[in-house]
Amino acid sequence: MASEVDIANRALGKLGAATIIDLNEDDPKAVAINVAFATVRQAELRRRRWRFSLERHSLPALADAPAFGFARQFQLPAGCLRVIQIGEFDLGPNLSDYRAAPTELWSIEGRKILTNLPAPLKVRTIQDVPDTTQWDAAFVEAFAARLAYECCERITQSDSKKQLAWSDYR
């Protein structure tokens, strides 16, 4: 399995840049990769339903009810990047597409799900997975390509390399 440094070097290789030994070294390439790593990882995980990041939860209702509109509220699980299913209702490809279920059944507000559905609330989520040894090989490649694109300007100062990095990512 690939380590964070292996993945960073994969991204740097896509840019034609020299490799690094450690993400915390005092090298502009390492600094750029280190600054972007967690944010790009979370964005890329959230973007698609990578099977290694899917989890099922049975959530207990919180003691306090919402101020109005719904009978119960549930705390989102720690590390949840996106809810993809509530009860029997699949939320579709992304959070802006609620056509798969009637939206009046719930509302995701902050880190809580507000609903009239009974407890325990069954949900499927996309979770943050910082442990690179758990990553799928296809995700490693997609993430490295996206990381190369996001860091390209800072590392290479080349618009043409950035366009190539975007093309590689797509």
Side-chain angles (χ1 to χ4, degrees), residues 25-148:
E25 65 187 70
D26 191 22
D27 178 316
K29 298 182 303 293
V31 171
I33 295 283
N34 197 22
V35 165
F37 203 93
T39 303
V40 174
R41 177 191 72 237
Q42 290 175 348
E44 200 55 34
L45 282 169
R46 192 176 191 285
R47 187 177 173 96
R48 291 187 179 82
R49 293 182 182 195
W50 297 98
R51 293 198 183 273
F52 71 92
S53 68
L54 300 179
E55 285 189 13
R56 294 170 189 260
H57 306 272
S58 182
L59 304 177
L62 296 173
D64 297 333
F68 61 91
F70 294 100
R72 283 172 281 293
Q73 60 184 349
F74 301 84
Q75 186 69 50
L76 286 173
C80 174
L81 297 176
R82 189 172 118 200
V83 176
I84 59 173
Q85 184 176 344
I86 296 177
E88 298 175 17
F89 303 102
D90 192 301
L91 300 187
N94 62 49
L95 289 177
S96 65
D97 185 3
Y98 283 89
R99 290 173 292 186
T103 57
E104 63 273 3
L105 289 179
W106 66 80
S107 178
I108 298 174
E109 299 178 8
R111 301 290 301 162
K112 295 183 178 133
I113 301 170
L114 285 60
T115 185
N116 292 324
L117 295 172
L121 186 65
K122 308 295 188 205
V123 297
R124 288 181 66 214
T125 62
I126 294 175
Q127 295 291 124
D128 189 11
V129 183
D131 180 0
T132 61
T133 64
Q134 302 300 311
W135 294 5
D136 180 89
F139 178 76
V140 169
E141 187 61 25
F143 174 71
R146 177 71 184 267
L147 193 59

Side-chain angles (χ1 to χ4, degrees), residues 13-32:
K14 291 175 178 296
L15 299 176
T19 61
I20 60 173
I21 296 170
D22 189 303
L23 284 178
N24 296 312
E25 65 187 70
D26 191 22
D27 178 316
K29 298 182 303 293
V31 171

